[in-house]
Amino acid sequence: MPERARASSAHISPSAHYTGYVWYRHRLAEPAFVTAFGSLVHKLLWPLAWGARAGFGLDIEALLLQRHLQIDAQLSAAIEQQGVRQVVEIACGLSPRGRRFCSRYPQLQYLEADLPAMAARKRLLLHGEGWLDGRHRVCAVDILAERGNQQLNTLFADLDRSQPVVVITEGLVNYFPLALIEGFWSRLASELSDFPSAIYLTELYPDLHEHPRYRQLRWGVELIGRLTRGSYPLHYRSHDEIVAGFQRCGFAQVQVLDPSADASSLGLKPSRLPGLVRVIQAQV
Ligand SMILES: C[S@@+](CC[C@H](N)C(=O)[O-])C[C@H]1O[C@@H](n2cnc3c(N)ncnc32)[C@H](O)[C@@H]1O
């Protein structure tokens, strides 16, 4: 793996403070998940977010909620309809999902994972509130690591391979060039093939040239890249390319969901523009 991409990965972590604050603002998280940095960045970006909404009808927080709530809905269905009892959330950041799902489903084993510094922070946060126990844990992982104790197979070592599993990444994959993230997806698919059934849930932002706000979207991703001192490449240009990409990585069944098409069932206002984010549900 290129050293430059690896070095830039840690610069992504501050973005988790911003999304953590957004989840809190929309009543998806307790106050413990808020950091001073998260609320400061939210304040600083507010004029931009307001301008994008008023000027172009692009609502950044609605976009974040679409992906978050669609992933929640897929996870609830996997638990309630398919009897899933173990979940691994990679790049968990300051997301409250582990906390919410462990309170809602007492049978669940929930493993959160992130780069070491963010994982330590999350562990401290959950531990401080008395929310960590044998079934809700936090570990370090680096999705780019191909050896060492932060690689994917170390994270998976303690899982029960006789039981189904759901793996989630949210707010992660568009920070990396496609070749790098497809490398991760291939390693993930190979790990998941050991389980009786396994679902991978992620969101991604495709390169939708035909979208009426494509130019503004390009400005937005340029800005995210600058703020996180990296880049924010859009992956795949269509539904078919997404399916083919995941299949190349070893996922046999691939569903591409557009949360904007499902807004009311997710409890969101219908959006005036075609959706920009897709949630992928992939199975090996
Ligand atoms: C935009 S935040 C998303 C956090 C959370 N999933 C959410 O939606 O609120 C991106 C997260 O990816 C994590 N991350 C960045 N590079 C990573 C890597 N190589 N392996 C694992 N996690 C990584 C960051 O530390 C950060 O917590």
Side-chain angles (χ1 to χ4, degrees), residues 1 5-6 8-21 23 64 67-68 89-97 113-119 122 140-145 150 168-173 175-176 184 203 228 232:
M1 193 226 9
R6 195 186 168 93
S8 69
S9 184
H11 295 147
I12 299 167
S13 296
S15 59
H17 292 253
Y18 174 78
T19 47
Y21 189 76
W23 311 140
L64 292 172
R67 77 178 201 206
H68 198 76
E89 182 164 1
I90 296 173
C92 58
L94 297 168
S95 170
R97 181 178 289 113
D114 205 301
L115 291 173
M118 182 54 82
K122 187 70 170 288
V141 76
D142 180 347
I143 61 144
L144 305 178
Q150 283 161 27
I168 300 170
T169 63
E170 180 182 4
L172 180 72
V173 304
Y175 284 103
F176 300 101
F184 162 64
E203 106 288 12
T228 53
Y232 202 80

Side-chain angles (χ1 to χ4, degrees), residues 32-201:
F33 289 91
V34 174
T35 64
F37 182 67
S39 77
L40 173 70
V41 175
H42 189 269
K43 271 196 194 75
L44 293 176
L45 292 180
W46 181 252
L48 260 177
W50 181 86
R53 197 173 54 245
F56 308 114
L58 287 173
D59 188 333
I60 295 162
E61 292 192 21
L63 201 58
L64 292 172
L65 287 172
Q66 283 178 357
R67 77 178 201 206
H68 198 76
L69 296 178
Q70 183 78 66
I71 292 175
D72 277 4
Q74 302 310 119
L75 179 57
S76 297
I79 295 167
E80 289 170 19
Q81 290 157 31
Q82 295 175 43
V84 166
R85 296 163 69 103
Q86 53 183 349
V87 179
V88 182
E89 182 164 1
I90 296 173
C92 58
L94 297 168
S95 170
R97 181 178 289 113
R99 158 77 182 143
R100 281 191 286 112
F101 274 76
C102 281
S103 326
R104 199 179 308 160
Y105 300 103
Q107 76 277 23
L108 213 57
Q109 298 280 332
Y110 207 104
L111 175 59
E112 303 202 39
D114 205 301
L115 291 173
M118 182 54 82
R121 177 170 203 132
K122 187 70 170 288
R123 197 178 300 114
L124 213 61
L125 185 169
L126 297 173
H127 179 71
E129 298 297 315
W131 293 333
L132 275 192
D133 54 25
R135 66 187 192 94
H136 187 183
R137 297 179 295 133
V138 186
C139 286
V141 76
D142 180 347
I143 61 144
L144 305 178
E146 288 176 31
R147 53 183 176 273
N149 58 5
Q150 283 161 27
Q151 63 179 326
L152 208 54
N153 62 7
T154 310
L155 180 70
F156 278 59
D158 285 351
L159 298 183
D160 183 348
R161 286 174 194 253
S162 67
Q163 294 292 324
V165 67
V166 171
V167 175
I168 300 170
T169 63
E170 180 182 4
L172 180 72
V173 304
N174 284 94
Y175 284 103
F176 300 101
L178 188 58
L180 216 56
I181 206 68
E182 284 192 344
F184 162 64
W185 285 334
S186 301
R187 289 193 295 283
L188 178 63
S190 133
E191 286 294 327
L192 295 184
S193 62
D194 259 8
F195 292 81
S197 79
I199 295 174
Y200 171 50
L201 295 170

